[in-house]
């Protein structure tokens, strides 16, 4: 079943208005149309028994589908007719039902649709939704066209019948074409399923990166239903970067299966899509942090600190060092998370974490940030004062009464149109430099300690 589309209106307001009109309309004109029926004579030329779809061969693989809410013409067929960019109107409403995924139409086009030949034929201007998707069919004749033509279809009799000037006209389906189209569709689906299964097995078997189970963490893209996909050109990275791209497999959180095609890109090696979460997506940091909080929930604050992909294992006693490492690696192995050995350092007494210097004494301010303020000349402009306040903010938790010491500088920023660096500001600036020369070390308080 294909649902959605703009048949009932391309917005909620349009659909509601059409529904109200249909409730008020009463068909009282008493159409004088012939009775359409099927009988034994309609089996002439039909191979029985069968389970074939109704496909008309003369019009090149037109699939008659009662379950489609729209008339569909596939982009490839429209391109071959040299009509792809002719009178193509934009469509906002999404289609659902193509292999279970949402499909964003390329647009709509109005074309004359003719059923029958000779005097007993009917032509109606028909709106087709243009879809860029792989299909064995060129056109799907949905309910809108069938209702407009007063078509009655019987897959069992392999015919459609419709009234023309008080007479009944019929068009026969083509069973060989139907079976061929069905076979092509099955083969395409089987190949796709095999590729997906192969990708999953390769990902699980990869010793470099086993990956996190989707039950633990999975990233999803919250895309507005009316958004159109962004078309990208092929990216040229150069031979050296192309080689690196082929060799890397960086990320560990799986990307939701229904969102993988939305993260596709083109390189010199072909078109690819991410099966794991790439960095750069909106909210990817939040997804990664949720994973870390879940994985290390029993260790955070006790023997580990973690911020996104930055992990710090902390040990108070040398004798506990190996035990803390073993506990962390056991947790990582349990959830299938891998570390980059080139970025790991073990057995150190000090190191930088989130811009701070962590030592066996406690947490100290980054000496480079302190030196940046001490070596800074007196500000000569508003921009210089903005640089100063930004550097103070990076050290604020180490500076006693930080807001009080910074108050004169913010007073200057309030009068940005008339810059004025007076003696009071200069004195506060020099006092700050003296204070930075003897900053305290932040340590964890001990029980009952003053």
């Amino acid at each position: 079943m294909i649902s959605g589309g703009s048949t009932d209106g391309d917005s909620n307001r349009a659909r509601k208005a059409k529904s109200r009109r249909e409730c008020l309309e009463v068909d009282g004109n008493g159409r004088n149309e012939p009775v359409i029926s099927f009988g034994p004579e309609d089996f002439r030329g039909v191979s029985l028994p069968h389970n074939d779809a109704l496909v008309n061969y003369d019009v090149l693989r037109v699939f008659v589908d009662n379950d489609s809410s729209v008339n569909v013409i596939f982009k490839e067929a429209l391109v071959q007719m040299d009509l792809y960019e002719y009178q193509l109107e934009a469509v906002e409403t999404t289609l659902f039902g193509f292999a279970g995924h949402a499909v964003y139409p390329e647009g709509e086009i109005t074309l004359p649709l003719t059923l029958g030949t000779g005097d007993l034929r009917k032509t109606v201007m028909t709106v087709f939704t243009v879809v860029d998707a792989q299909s064995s069919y060129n056109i799907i004749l949905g309910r809108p066209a069938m209702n407009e033509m007063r078509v009655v279809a019987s897959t069992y009799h392999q015919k459609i019948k419709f009234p023309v000037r008080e007479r009944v006209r019929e068009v026969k389906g083509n069973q060989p074409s139907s079976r061929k189209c069905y076979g092509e569709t099955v083969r395409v689906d089987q190949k796709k399923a095999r590729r997906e299964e192969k990708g999953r097995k390769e990902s699980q078997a990869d010793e470099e990166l086993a990956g996190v189970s989707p039950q633990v963490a999975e990233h999803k893209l919250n895309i507005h239903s009316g958004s159109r996909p962004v078309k990208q050109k092929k990216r040229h990275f150069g031979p050296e970067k192309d080689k690196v791209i082929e060799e890397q497999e960086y990320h560990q959180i799986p990307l939701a299966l229904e969102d993988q095609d939305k993260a596709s890109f083109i390189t010199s090696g072909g078109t690819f899509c991410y099966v794991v979460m790439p960095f750069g997506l909106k909210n990817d940091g939040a997804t990664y942090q949720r994973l870390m909080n879940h994985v290390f929930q029993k260790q955070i604050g006790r023997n580990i600190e973690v911020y996104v992909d930055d992990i710090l294992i902390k040990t108070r006693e040398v004798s506990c060092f190996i035990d803390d490492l073993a506990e962390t690696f056991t947790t990582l192995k349990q959830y299938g998370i891998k570390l980059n050995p080139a970025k790991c350092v073990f057995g150190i007494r000090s190191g930088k974490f989130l811009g701070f210097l962590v030592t066996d004494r406690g947490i100290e301010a980054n000496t480079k940030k302190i030196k940046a303020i001490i070596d800074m000349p007196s500000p000569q402009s508003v921009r210089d004062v903005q640089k100063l306040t930004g550097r103070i903010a990076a050290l604020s938790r180490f500076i006693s009464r930080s807001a009080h010491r910074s108050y004169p500088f913010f007073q200057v920023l309030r009068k940005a149109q008339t810059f004025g660096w007076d003696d009071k500001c200069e004195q506060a600036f020099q006092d700050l430099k003296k204070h930075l020369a003897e900053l305290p070390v932040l340590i964890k308080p001990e029980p009952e300690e003053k």
Side-chain angles (χ1 to χ4, degrees), residues 139-302:
I139 292 175
I140 296 178
L141 205 62
R143 290 194 300 271
M146 295 176 67
N147 291 341
E148 180 70 20
M149 292 274 199
R150 307 289 188 265
V151 166
V152 178
S154 173
T155 55
Y156 186 49
H157 296 91
Q158 283 291 290
K159 286 182 181 179
I160 61 173
K161 294 188 177 184
F162 52 95
V164 181
R165 293 190 297 277
E166 301 181 0
R167 296 181 62 183
V168 176
R169 175 61 175 162
E170 64 182 37
V171 176
K172 296 181 180 180
N174 186 278
Q175 288 181 282
S177 178
S178 175
R179 293 169 183 174
K180 181 179 179 181
C181 291
Y182 179 75
E184 290 176 359
T185 302
V186 171
R187 283 194 294 273
V188 169
D189 290 342
Q190 288 176 340
K191 288 181 180 179
K192 183 179 179 181
R194 283 197 293 266
R195 285 198 302 268
E196 292 177 352
E197 181 64 21
K198 182 180 178 182
R200 283 193 291 267
K201 289 182 178 179
E202 289 178 350
S203 178
Q204 293 172 357
D206 190 348
E207 293 296 325
E208 283 256 13
L209 184 64
V212 177
S213 170
Q215 283 73 33
V216 177
E218 185 180 62
H219 190 71
K220 294 185 177 182
L221 304 180
N222 296 320
I223 297 177
H224 191 275
S225 60
S227 300
R228 299 283 297 276
V230 178
K231 297 182 179 179
Q232 299 183 15
K233 295 182 179 179
K234 174 184 173 183
R235 300 183 185 182
H236 298 277
F237 296 100
E240 294 183 358
K241 290 185 178 180
D242 283 341
K243 185 178 180 181
V244 174
I245 291 173
E246 291 178 5
E247 295 175 350
Q248 301 300 331
E249 162 121 84
Y250 286 111
H251 314 297
Q252 308 189 47
I253 298 179
L255 188 62
L257 184 63
E258 64 270 19
D259 292 328
Q260 291 177 6
D261 59 341
K262 303 181 184 72
S264 59
F265 56 95
I266 304 173
T267 70
S268 58
T271 302
F272 301 91
C273 67
Y274 283 99
V275 297
V276 292
M277 179 187 73
F279 281 101
L281 297 178
K282 184 173 288 189
N283 295 330
D284 56 359
T287 299
Y288 206 101
Q289 186 63 56
R290 284 197 300 271
L291 169 67
M292 293 291 104
N293 291 343
H294 176 75
V295 169
F296 295 112
Q297 56 183 317
K298 296 181 180 179
Q299 292 183 249
I300 292 177
R302 176 170 57 85

Side-chain angles (χ1 to χ4, degrees), residues 64-76:
V64 180
D65 186 12
N66 282 321
D67 289 329
S68 179
S69 64
V70 292
N71 307 308
V72 175
I73 184 168
F74 290 93
K75 178 181 176 180
E76 184 179 353

